[in-house]
Amino acid sequence: MNNKIKNLVLKKNKSKITSLTAYSKPIAKILDKHVDIVLVGDSMANVLYGYKGTHKINLRNIIQHSISVKKGVKKSLLVVDMPFGSYKNINLALKNAKKIFKETKCDAVKIESNKKNFKIIKILVKNKLPVMGHIGFTPQFKKKFKIEGSSKKEEKKILKEAQLVEKAGAFSIVLECLSPNAAKLVTNNLTIPTIGIGSSIYCDGQILVTDDMLGISGFYPKFVKKYADLQTVIEKAVKKYTRDVKFKKFPTSNYFLNGTKHRK
Ligand code: KIV
């Protein structure tokens, strides 16, 4: 376990953990100044590539984007999602996780729980490959969206699953779309930090998809707070640019190169 992970785990019960997603260097560079964790999420399937689900994103896509993100990350913990199908069995999971760590130089991988793959987490951790778990609404394995943990019985089941993820050696766990009671129960009964998305205030930290909170993804579930409306900002700029070009206001002589450097 590296120091970044140790420090993150120490935040439990002390200060809230902040996390956002990034798929490229420019965004990662901005996030890195502020958040504890930068996640290269397989949500890129919906957000960047326009697919309906996350299944069409493969290992190559994830690695390519993570290499870009890594260039913008210095201080935050870099976590990379293992895409659907890349951890179907122990050997494949180990081979692919090693490839992700080697090529992206990330700090950890994230694996969605299907209530059976605890052994995979265990083997990766045993091989010194840190793992973040992910339970609740896990898009790789569940088609129909539903808030999980709405009854006492469900709360107990979720707690058991979270405890098995912890026992397998995960250093942290994402709780996606759990009821407030379930999120509280899991957070209070685990020693590792819980990172919530749509799972109330009772988690040790929070994560959102950056494009959602910046108002540029076009998908805003109720749990997303929009901190900006970048779609409007970009639209205004693009409109102004096209008008300038049409009316020959750009490029004026100020924008001629005159020996200044071009981007390398
Ligand atoms: O893929 C992703 O962005 C995620 C977060 C929503 C937790 O898994």
Side-chain angles (χ1 to χ4, degrees):
M1 210 186 263
N2 70 25
N3 281 341
K4 282 185 183 177
I5 296 180
K6 279 185 197 152
N7 291 339
L8 184 99
V9 174
L10 285 174
K11 285 197 163 195
K12 185 164 175 108
N13 299 324
K14 291 198 181 80
S15 63
K16 289 275 187 187
I17 294 166
T18 55
S19 179
L20 284 167
T21 59
Y23 316 124
S24 66
K25 177 188 163 190
I27 295 290
K29 207 171 163 187
I30 299 170
L31 302 187
D32 189 52
K33 289 187 215 148
H34 306 283
V35 300
D36 298 305
I37 303 169
V38 173
L39 170 72
V40 183
D42 64 352
S43 53
M44 72 172 68
N46 316 86
V47 177
L48 271 194
Y49 288 89
Y51 294 130
K52 276 223 170 91
T54 52
H55 288 194
K56 287 201 176 148
I57 281 303
N58 58 34
L59 200 65
R60 191 39 40 213
N61 302 135
I62 287 276
I63 288 176
Q64 231 23 79
H65 285 279
S66 303
I67 290 170
S68 170
V69 168
K70 174 69 185 175
K71 291 192 165 116
V73 171
K74 288 203 167 62
K75 79 169 223 325
S76 313
L77 187 78
L78 177 59
V79 181
V80 173
D81 250 343
M82 288 197 72
F84 179 73
S86 69
Y87 52 102
K88 266 194 277 195
N89 57 58
I90 291 173
N91 288 341
L92 191 67
L94 194 55
K95 182 176 145 232
N96 287 333
K98 279 184 179 167
K99 191 174 168 70
I100 292 176
F101 277 92
K102 188 167 175 237
E103 293 192 28
T104 73
K105 311 274 180 290
C106 66
D107 298 297
V109 289
K110 177 164 79 58
I111 285 184
E112 290 186 13
S113 171
N114 63 358
K115 300 194 178 90
K116 293 193 285 249
N117 52 12
F118 310 110
K119 209 167 174 191
I120 287 177
I121 299 179
K122 203 171 170 182
I123 299 288
L124 296 195
V125 174
K126 214 173 148 195
N127 279 271
K128 299 196 171 14
L129 306 173
V131 176
M132 173 181 266
H134 184 163
I135 65 165
F137 179 66
T138 44
Q140 289 185 13
F141 299 110
K142 291 175 188 169
K143 281 206 176 111
K144 210 164 160 213
F145 173 75
K146 125 179 178 340
I147 297 278
E148 310 228 349
S150 318
S151 64
K152 285 276 167 231
K153 198 173 158 200
E154 260 192 61
E155 280 173 30
K156 274 190 191 157
K157 267 197 200 163
I158 288 166
L159 175 60
K160 183 139 189 261
E161 189 183 355
Q163 284 171 327
L164 287 170
V165 169
E166 174 173 83
K167 201 168 160 218
F171 69 89
S172 173
I173 186 168
V174 169
L175 310 181
E176 183 160 353
C177 297
L178 295 192
S179 69
N181 282 345
K184 197 175 189 177
L185 185 73
V186 172
T187 302
N188 289 345
N189 283 282
L190 293 193
T191 57
I192 57 172
T194 59
I195 314 291
I197 173 161
S199 296
S200 83
I201 199 79
Y202 299 116
C203 304
D204 296 305
Q206 294 293 323
I207 182 162
L208 281 178
V209 169
T210 302
D211 300 56
D212 294 346
M213 58 85 85
L214 292 182
I216 196 168
S217 69
F219 175 73
Y220 312 113
K222 204 171 161 217
F223 62 78
V224 172
K225 180 170 175 183
K226 263 208 230 173
Y227 286 84
D229 183 2
L230 283 201
Q231 178 154 341
T232 306
V233 173
I234 294 171
E235 256 178 44
K236 268 192 194 156
V238 171
K239 233 165 121 181
K240 195 162 185 319
Y241 163 75
T242 52
R243 217 173 27 224
D244 280 1
V245 171
K246 275 183 197 156
F247 294 104
K248 299 181 185 160
K249 286 190 174 168
F250 177 82
T252 48
S253 56
N254 300 351
Y255 298 95
F256 293 168
L257 270 173
N258 283 341
T260 52
K261 272 189 198 154
H262 196 285
R263 186 167 37 215
K264 271 187 204 148

